[in-house]
Amino acid sequence: MEWRHQPLLPAEHAAAGPSQIAVVVYDDGLVRDALITRCAADLAASGYRLGGIVQSNAHRPGRRRCDMYVKDLLGGDEIKISFDRGNEARGCRLDPDAFARIDGWIERAVLEHVELLVINKFGREEANGRGLRAVLAEALIAEIPLLIGISTQNLPDFLTFVGDSATRLGPDIEAITAWCRNAIERRTRQFQPRLSPVQA
């Protein structure tokens, strides 16, 4: 079956129910990445079809900052998203070319109607109307459950983007995984075809 790209509506018009979005609110990005990655691995091992990205952070001797990698949960590819500018460098370390690929990964996941979309974070780029914001809006319009990491600093911007219906979760792997399973099952029941009673 060929999936046709749906027209993109403004994010503020993406109707999201209270069970469609969960945010993992954090102050420590390394803890966030570890929790979301573990949750995604557990769900995939249970047979759920996931899309989106998780991040891993590799420390190198002699470097203050780690190398950052993201993995496509649907296709399995992994790419490095950070530049090594040295310990004294300031400013953005993110590779814009890598983010073009990530955008494509997430768009494919939306078009293929995965059971759950996982995004490791809604960062400053998204808060400023750039980054992955457009494909996130498409996921909400498609009514795909979304698990996303949000720093306390960016949480107000995210809630402005999606409305105040998102479920807020702390750094508790059991609570995060339980929310994901429940959201997937609710959506499955919602979209199951209703059969008319068999006539006698």
Side-chain angles (χ1 to χ4, degrees):
M1 177 182 295
E2 179 184 358
W3 293 104
R4 295 189 177 273
H5 195 74
Q6 296 296 319
L8 177 62
L9 300 179
E12 290 72 14
H13 296 292
S19 64
Q20 187 187 344
I21 308 168
V23 297
V24 179
V25 183
Y26 66 90
D27 290 309
D28 186 329
L30 296 178
V31 171
R32 168 209 70 209
D33 291 333
L35 283 170
I36 292 179
T37 298
R38 180 180 166 191
C39 173
D42 290 347
L43 292 168
S46 296
Y48 293 110
R49 190 164 184 259
L50 310 182
I53 55 171
V54 292
Q55 180 172 321
S56 60
N57 307 284
H59 293 276
R60 290 201 296 159
R63 287 287 185 260
R64 289 188 301 108
R65 296 185 176 185
C66 56
D67 292 336
M68 297 181 291
Y69 297 83
V70 295
K71 181 179 180 180
D72 175 16
L73 291 173
L74 182 59
D77 292 339
E78 185 174 48
I79 57 173
K80 185 178 179 182
I81 63 170
S82 60
F83 290 124
D84 182 3
R85 301 189 186 279
N87 281 336
E88 305 306 318
R90 297 291 183 267
C92 183
R93 303 169 55 227
L94 299 179
D95 179 356
D97 293 334
F99 275 81
R101 288 188 63 187
I102 293 169
D103 192 85
W105 290 346
I106 296 172
E107 184 167 348
R108 176 191 168 200
V110 172
L111 292 175
E112 294 194 13
H113 290 258
V114 294
E115 293 181 285
L116 175 74
L117 187 68
V118 179
I119 305 293
N120 68 301
K121 74 174 180 178
F122 180 95
R124 282 179 294 181
E125 285 293 296
E126 287 75 27
N128 290 326
R130 300 185 296 270
L132 303 176
R133 192 169 175 127
V135 287
L136 287 174
E138 293 185 34
L140 299 181
I141 293 166
E143 300 184 21
I144 298 173
L146 171 66
L147 174 69
I148 190 166
I150 311 284
S151 70
T152 51
Q153 178 181 358
N154 291 323
L155 182 60
D157 289 307
F158 181 76
L159 294 178
T160 298
F161 173 54
V162 302
D164 200 28
S165 61
T167 300
R168 305 181 199 189
L169 302 172
D172 181 327
I173 186 63
E174 292 184 0
I176 295 169
T177 305
W179 181 91
C180 292
R181 291 178 184 275
N182 290 335
I184 292 169
E185 296 304 323
R186 277 193 295 269
R187 185 171 185 266
T188 299
R189 290 194 299 269
Q190 178 185 352
F191 286 96
Q192 278 179 341
R194 296 184 179 179
L195 301 178
S196 21
V198 176
Q199 298 297 322

